[in-house]
Amino acid sequence: MKHWMIAAAVSAALFGCSAVKSELDSAAPAAVTLVETVEHQAGQANIPYKKYRLANGLTVILHQDNSDPLVHVDVTYHVGSAREFAGRSGFAHLFEHMMFQGSQNVADEQHFKVITEAGGTLNGTTNTDRTNYFETVPSNQLEKMLWLESDRMGFFLPALTSEKFEVQRETVKNERAQRIDNRPYGRLNERFSQALYPAGHPYSWPVIGWPEDLERATLADVKHFFQRWYGPNNATLTIGGDFDEAQTLAWVEKYFGEIPAGPEVKADEKVPVTLDKTRYISMEDKVHLPLIYMGYPTVYAGHKDEAALDLLANIIGGGKTSLFYKNMVEQGVAVQAAVSHPCQELACQFTLYALANPAQGGELAKLEEKIAQSVAEFESRGVTDEDLQKVKVQFEADTIYGMQSVKGKVSTLAANQTFYGNPDQVTNDLARYASVTKEDVMRVFNTYIKDKPMVVMSVVPEGQTQLVAKPDNFIAPSPQVAEHAVDVEIDAEQIVSSFDRSVMPKAGDAPVVKVPKLWRSKLENGIEVVGTKSDETPTVELVVYLDGGHRLEPVEQSGLAYLTAAMLNESTTKRNSVELANALEMLGSSIHFSANASQSSVQLSSLTANLPQTLSILEEQLFSPAFNEQDFNRVKQQHLQFLQQRSSDANYLARTEYGKLLYGDNVHFGIGASGSIESVSKLTLDDVRAFYQLQYRAGNAKVVAVSDLTQQQVTSKLGALASWQGEATELAPVNPIKTAKTGAIYLYDKPDAPQSVISIGRLALPFDATGEYFKADLMNYPLGGAFNSRINLNLREDKGYTYGARSYFYGVAEVGTFTAGASVRADVTGDAVKEFIAEINQFKAQGMTDKELSFMRSSISQGHALEYETPYQKAGFLRRIQRYQLADDYTAEQQRIIESVTKQELNALADKWLNIDDMVILVVGDKATVKQQLEQLGYPVKMLN
């Protein structure tokens, strides 16, 4: 089912109006006007807030949440790629990067440094219609965040230089290479949009921009774009979390109030998109699975028909209960198929896609016929009462789950204000979605889908054009080239600040971190349960972990644990997989079995009110799997096709080859938990049944629970798990580990790859929470563990080689590794490897500086305030304690180590673990481009394929 762009409807019984107050709030400074107050209403899934406006047009939204000592700050500018001009694309996304590069009173790279040192996280995102910048920090850091955000809003241009512009232009080009050019199906969306939207339409070019446009852009272009769109009157500042309202408003007025408004911003016209005929386009790509992607233009976000179109998409192709799944995936002609109705501010698309199963020919013409048959079946089938009820329950669940974090609530408020002028849009959506009728769904089907022209795109493996649905009958016009006469810049008023903005505000007193209070219990059969109570949402997160997973299967049967878990998501002896999926959707619940390197697990998410029914379904899936031949053949075939498909992904190839180099290919840890095509091909249904008997025993199991229920309430509902039987299965010891010879560069050839994936590393330490592994992680932090680490600043910010570079220690109970890596431009692969080696060698020889030690201590210590906010985070914390038998207060010991560990001790660890001569060096890239570069480094280059 679609994850709604904004929180949507709950069942009709929860309807009610929010209380809106218009009177001036005494907490607001004189220059800040209160617009409205929306309070939470019992039984309604709305988000309480207060909305203010400054004289310069800045909208300010405050949401109080005192459950954790943190704040989330979001500044959303109502500008995305849709407000660019044809021929000058990519500017909004470029600014997402540029505005992290310092401003008049914030030094280069200081934005990341300040927030990371404060223990916070930060990022920015751009889409077609808005750009947002956000950070989550301990609550004592709020004033500092407002200083940072206001300085880049009002004082960005004085610090903008040609050098910064050129570096970020390279970074964006690297991002495009990594996310689009070097990824299977990466160019699908931009090619499709060119065919769906007319030339010059603001959605006809990609958000990241055309490379040619970025190359032609000038510094004057960039300045003009900023002056036009980044004023306070085109922005919304949203703050959520634990803060003092009066103090926060005073800070907002101080830092933002004197920034002058920018040019007037008017809403863009929403012109309906129409097609004259069905347009067929195709593309060859480095893929294994042929893909058909179809789309109809429909309405726009917030349109009266949007909700009915969403429901229509769900019925036709929204998961296991849909017609698409029944007609294509179940029958094995497609390994994946779905329908959705993504909406943007100016336009929506009704999209249908299917990934063909090459084992059944892979012809996309046959899939197009199947899609047409499914649409026709919907027309004759119509809409059922169950369809309507299911979507309302799903909306309720999605809305509540979306409120589990301050960030989720703040993002919702900010988006609703930006696009609708109403942070409380949730209330409107309650009525809008719940009022959809069967007649509405059929009406929108007839209006926008039935017999209407569409775009049909085929993506086929290179050299297999015979698989396309139909020959191309449409050629998209070439992107327009803008004339680059010098723009007349908008006069920007020079701000004379009323205070010294160059002085960074000091943080307040450090907040008290609220570590979850644990409870422990044992079921009658001895299964350990660790839990904590979380009152923020009426939800339950329950995870059953079983020791084993990939470690429990024979090496030659790698992928068996993965396949067995996949089969447990299928039919039981009582119901088939579609019936089970329908039952869960009607409850707003999910149950998912999975397996990884060292464990199998089942994750259950449920609204508290529906927990008994959800647990009943879990009992059925866990204890009564059907393990029928039809499900097995389909699941196995899907997995084999995805393994084949992943072999065209450079990052997957790098992970796979790197594991073999470190551990060898006869050791569990040298082979991925998903297995190989060779190993999975040999697996049988009897193998699955046998592994189920070994793995899914009570003796292997432990349980983690996070909910708004008490310990007694939770354990009293686990009766089915309490009757589970079976002794623990003994795990074989880890085999002797053989690593590849060091002193060489291993090259895996991926022809024509625009980027190379570099992995440099060695076997290192198994996980421990307070010993050498933990201290080694602290040591690595300034080398490659933070955004402003040495490695990332060198390769990304200084050299422009990559979108991001890092290093890290990773360990489980038995083994561990140290890895440094990045995806880099193919033409600088050799130079990038050289820089990695230089950084590692220098850090080994000289260690960290006093400033880096201080930065690490501050960043990691204060970051603890952010670690336990959501039920998912709490569950991870509990599982770590449970799995490694840690003390409940082990984080206090970690904090003691952070504060007391010496630079000499950490530098000794650098000297011990960062010897480049002990490391393997792997490059996955285009041999023709990179081999000679690598040979110039003085290492022998050994080919792996």
Side-chain angles (χ1 to χ4, degrees):
M1 168 164 289
K2 172 181 176 182
H3 288 282
W4 312 103
M5 183 180 73
I6 32 188
V10 297
S11 60
L14 297 180
F15 285 175
C17 295
S18 298
V20 178
K21 303 175 184 177
S22 300
E23 59 269 18
L24 187 67
D25 193 304
S26 60
V32 180
T33 303
L34 174 66
V35 178
E36 65 177 355
T37 299
V38 172
E39 298 176 347
H40 178 66
Q41 298 295 296
Q44 182 175 319
N46 73 308
I47 305 170
Y49 65 89
K50 290 184 179 179
K51 175 178 169 180
Y52 297 89
R53 187 159 289 123
L54 273 58
N56 59 10
L58 178 67
T59 299
V60 181
I61 301 169
L62 302 182
H63 165 69
Q64 291 272 0
D65 182 338
N66 307 122
S67 57
D68 293 283
L70 58 85
V71 289
H72 183 79
V73 178
D74 178 292
V75 179
T76 296
Y77 295 92
H78 197 169
V79 56
S81 59
R83 285 189 157 156
E84 299 161 350
F85 295 104
R88 296 190 182 182
S89 63
F91 279 28
H93 177 260
L94 178 62
F95 262 102
E96 179 199 317
H97 291 259
M98 293 297 300
M99 286 177 65
F100 285 105
Q101 301 310 305
S103 47
Q104 182 171 312
N105 302 293
V106 179
D108 297 357
E109 315 303 341
Q110 192 176 4
H111 210 107
F112 278 98
K113 181 179 185 299
V114 167
I115 294 175
T116 307
E117 190 169 23
T121 61
L122 71 160
N123 212 333
T125 65
T126 308
N127 63 27
T128 53
D129 305 303
R130 64 100 185 100
T131 304
N132 68 341
Y133 302 90
F134 50 88
E135 43 271 333
T136 306
V137 293
S139 54
N140 64 322
Q141 303 288 340
L142 175 56
E143 184 184 7
K144 202 178 295 181
M145 299 307 105
L146 300 177
W147 171 72
L148 287 168
E149 290 290 357
S150 66
D151 210 67
R152 65 177 165 191
M153 178 186 285
F155 301 84
F156 173 73
L157 289 183
L160 178 57
T161 65
S162 297
E163 291 76 15
K164 290 181 182 179
F165 172 60
E166 293 300 336
V167 168
Q168 293 312 309
R169 174 156 45 190
E170 287 302 310
T171 300
V172 171
K173 288 160 65 176
N174 286 321
E175 180 180 2
R176 178 184 171 85
Q178 181 174 325
R179 293 188 171 183
I180 296 176
D181 299 333
N182 205 31
R183 178 175 290 182
Y185 312 107
R187 295 192 61 214
L188 183 153
N189 286 325
E190 62 186 30
R191 288 285 310 279
F192 182 83
S193 294
Q194 279 185 290
L196 183 67
Y197 297 107
H201 188 283
Y203 292 166
S204 65
W205 53 80
V207 173
I208 202 168
W210 296 118
E212 297 82 1
D213 289 351
L214 287 171
E215 286 294 345
R216 288 190 299 264
T218 67
L219 194 60
D221 293 331
V222 173
K223 289 182 177 180
H224 182 272
F225 193 79
F226 178 84
Q227 289 172 326
R228 178 66 187 90
W229 298 112
Y230 291 82
N233 52 310
N234 196 37
T236 298
L237 167 64
T238 309
I239 304 169
D242 185 12
F243 57 85
D244 178 87
E245 182 179 343
Q247 178 63 80
T248 298
L249 289 171
W251 284 334
V252 169
E253 167 59 19
K254 174 183 177 180
Y255 290 108
F256 290 90
E258 60 188 16
I259 301 174
E264 181 184 4
V265 178
K266 295 182 180 179
D268 292 326
E269 186 178 2
K270 298 176 174 115
V271 180
V273 176
T274 58
L275 298 172
D276 54 349
K277 63 178 181 179
T278 293
R279 298 174 174 178
Y280 285 89
I281 60 173
S282 64
M283 179 178 75
E284 295 179 64
D285 200 359
K286 296 182 185 302
V287 297
H288 171 66
L289 301 176
L291 179 147
I292 186 168
Y293 194 88
M294 306 162 64
Y296 301 83
T298 59
V299 292
Y300 54 83
H303 187 280
K304 64 181 180 64
D305 289 340
E306 179 191 9
L309 283 160
D310 287 343
L311 179 54
L312 172 65
N314 183 60
I315 296 170
I316 299 177
K320 282 188 175 181
T321 61
S322 70
L323 298 173
F324 259 40
Y325 189 86
K326 174 177 72 73
N327 295 338
M328 284 183 281
V329 180
E330 276 192 354
Q331 294 182 21
V333 296
V335 297
Q336 191 179 98
V339 181
S340 61
H341 185 238
C343 276
Q344 297 153 279
E345 185 176 18
L346 305 181
C348 305
Q349 307 171 15
F350 193 90
T351 60
L352 315 90
Y353 82 91
L355 284 165
N357 186 350
Q360 293 201 22
E363 296 94 342
L364 296 180
K366 291 183 179 179
L367 274 188
E368 186 181 12
E369 292 176 9
K370 284 285 188 181
I371 289 172
Q373 291 168 10
S374 299
V375 173
E377 183 178 345
F378 163 77
E379 185 176 11
S380 61
R381 167 197 183 279
V383 186
T384 67
D385 291 333
E386 190 175 78
D387 292 331
L388 295 176
Q389 178 61 25
K390 182 168 59 179
V391 77
K392 293 175 184 178
V393 174
Q394 284 291 310
F395 283 176
E396 178 183 9
D398 287 348
T399 301
I400 292 174
Y401 291 137
M403 294 181 181
Q404 290 183 330
S405 71
V406 173
K407 178 181 177 180
K409 290 181 282 190
V410 165
S411 298
T412 298
L413 293 169
N416 288 339
Q417 170 60 34
T418 300
F419 297 125
Y420 304 104
N422 176 23
D424 195 33
Q425 181 68 16
V426 168
T427 303
N428 293 338
D429 285 336
L430 294 173
R432 183 161 67 103
Y433 281 85
S435 64
V436 173
T437 65
K438 299 177 188 177
E439 293 73 22
D440 289 332
V441 178
M442 297 309 300
R443 175 179 54 78
V444 298
F445 170 75
N446 291 316
T447 303
Y448 303 102
I449 309 301
K450 183 180 179 181
D451 299 328
K452 297 298 186 293
M454 58 183 162
V455 173
V456 181
M457 183 173 185
S458 301
V459 182
V460 298
E462 289 180 329
Q464 298 189 42
T465 55
Q466 77 278 5
L467 298 178
V468 302
K470 284 186 177 64
D472 292 15
N473 67 356
F474 177 81
I475 299 176
S478 299
Q480 299 177 18
V481 178
E483 295 183 10
H484 274 249
V486 177
D487 286 317
V488 178
E489 293 192 24
I490 302 166
D491 289 334
E493 180 183 340
Q494 184 64 35
I495 305 171
V496 179
S497 188
S498 60
F499 61 98
D500 186 357
R501 287 181 174 265
S502 67
V503 178
M504 182 171 64
K506 294 182 179 180
D509 294 337
V512 177
V513 178
K514 302 176 182 178
V515 179
K517 184 178 180 181
L518 279 61
W519 54 259
R520 284 183 169 82
S521 184
K522 272 194 177 182
L523 303 182
E524 293 177 8
N525 55 0
I527 292 178
E528 296 177 12
V529 184
V530 177
T532 190
K533 193 169 186 288
S534 177
D535 293 318
E536 293 179 52
T537 55
T539 58
V540 177
E541 194 80 16
L542 187 78
V543 190
V544 181
Y545 295 96
L546 300 108
D547 291 336
H550 181 42
R551 274 287 318 281
L552 185 58
E553 65 197 12
V555 173
E556 63 274 13
Q557 289 188 315
S558 292
L560 180 55
Y562 181 98
L563 202 59
T564 304
M567 286 295 292
L568 287 165
N569 290 314
E570 297 295 327
S571 305
T572 68
T573 56
K574 301 174 183 178
R575 287 182 280 192
N576 63 36
S577 60
V578 174
E579 292 168 334
L580 287 167
N582 189 66
L584 288 168
E585 288 180 7
M586 292 295 287
L587 295 170
S589 303
S590 66
I591 296 174
H592 182 69
F593 288 80
S594 63
N596 62 25
S598 55
Q599 64 190 21
S600 298
S601 63
V602 52
Q603 181 176 353
L604 177 153
S605 298
S606 172
L607 302 177
T608 303
N610 296 336
L611 179 60
Q613 303 98 305
T614 308
L615 284 170
S616 178
I617 296 174
L618 171 62
E619 179 181 2
E620 181 180 337
Q621 290 184 271
L622 185 59
F623 300 136
S624 306
F627 290 145
N628 64 56
E629 200 75 41
Q630 183 178 358
D631 284 344
F632 177 74
N633 290 337
R634 172 172 43 79
V635 169
K636 178 180 175 180
Q637 186 58 231
Q638 286 174 344
H639 189 47
L640 284 170
Q641 295 301 338
F642 278 117
L643 286 173
Q644 182 68 53
Q645 174 61 32
R646 291 169 75 182
S647 67
S648 61
D649 185 323
N651 288 291
Y652 173 75
L653 290 171
R655 288 193 300 272
T656 302
E657 297 302 319
Y658 185 62
K660 292 177 183 177
L661 289 173
L662 288 183
Y663 297 104
D665 56 9
N666 293 315
V667 179
H668 284 95
F669 293 105
I671 304 173
S674 56
S676 66
I677 293 174
E678 181 183 7
S679 64
V680 173
S681 296
K682 298 175 182 177
L683 297 177
T684 68
L685 187 55
D686 284 340
D687 293 330
V688 168
R689 292 188 179 112
F691 186 81
Y692 168 78
Q693 295 296 332
L694 279 177
Q695 174 71 97
Y696 292 88
R697 300 178 176 183
N700 296 327
K702 292 182 173 64
V703 177
V704 164
V706 180
S707 77
D708 61 334
L709 300 173
T710 65
Q711 175 180 352
Q712 195 278 328
Q713 289 172 320
V714 171
T715 54
S716 67
K717 291 177 170 57
L718 300 180
L721 296 181
S723 62
W724 198 358
Q725 298 300 311
E727 299 295 320
T729 306
E730 185 176 352
L731 290 173
V734 176
N735 296 331
I737 293 171
K738 298 178 181 179
T739 60
K741 291 182 179 179
T742 57
I745 296 177
Y746 295 87
L747 175 59
Y748 188 101
D749 184 24
K750 189 175 189 296
D752 301 321
Q755 282 199 318
S756 301
V757 182
I758 299 170
S759 299
I760 302 173
R762 58 166 296 173
L763 296 178
L765 293 154
F767 175 86
D768 70 68
T770 55
E772 187 172 350
Y773 173 86
F774 178 69
K775 292 176 183 178
D777 192 52
L778 301 180
M779 172 269 290
N780 174 70
Y781 198 69
L783 172 64
F787 179 90
N788 55 316
S789 66
R790 296 187 186 188
I791 287 174
N792 194 57
L793 289 183
N794 181 348
L795 274 77
R796 171 177 162 143
E797 299 301 309
D798 296 342
K799 302 293 192 307
Y801 291 168
T802 180
Y803 182 53
R806 61 191 294 250
S807 62
Y808 57 92
F809 284 86
Y810 171 77
V812 292
E814 302 91 345
V815 294
T817 58
F818 167 80
T819 303
S823 293
V824 303
R825 293 198 331 258
D827 65 313
V828 297
T829 302
D831 290 336
V833 172
K834 182 179 179 180
E835 292 300 326
F836 265 114
I837 293 172
E839 291 289 356
I840 292 170
N841 281 339
Q842 182 180 36
F843 201 80
K844 168 184 164 55
Q846 300 175 7
M848 68 175 65
T849 65
D850 289 334
K851 285 186 177 180
E852 288 174 328
L853 177 63
S854 176
F855 170 81
M856 178 276 291
R857 283 177 171 163
S858 176
S859 176
I860 297 180
S861 295
Q862 296 190 89
H864 291 322
L866 281 59
E867 291 181 353
Y868 317 110
E869 183 187 7
T870 66
Y872 182 80
Q873 288 175 303
K874 290 182 173 73
F877 172 71
L878 300 188
R879 174 54 182 164
R880 195 175 307 118
I881 288 176
Q882 184 187 67
R883 181 178 182 184
Y884 295 107
Q885 298 298 298
L886 305 177
D888 290 3
D889 63 348
Y890 81 92
T891 55
E893 174 62 13
Q894 286 185 332
Q895 183 58 37
R896 188 195 66 76
I897 294 170
I898 293 168
E899 293 171 354
S900 63
V901 67
T902 66
K903 186 176 68 171
Q904 290 72 26
E905 187 176 357
L906 296 178
N907 288 346
L909 289 173
D911 181 64
K912 177 179 180 180
W913 292 108
L914 299 184
N915 187 348
I916 198 71
D917 293 335
D918 294 334
M919 299 184 192
V920 297
I921 302 172
L922 168 69
V923 175
V924 175
D926 177 28
K927 173 185 174 182
T929 303
V930 308
K931 187 170 186 288
Q932 186 175 359
Q933 298 179 46
L934 298 174
E935 288 172 339
Q936 292 174 355
L937 298 179
Y939 290 87
V941 177
K942 298 185 177 182
M943 298 303 302
L944 293 177
N945 63 334

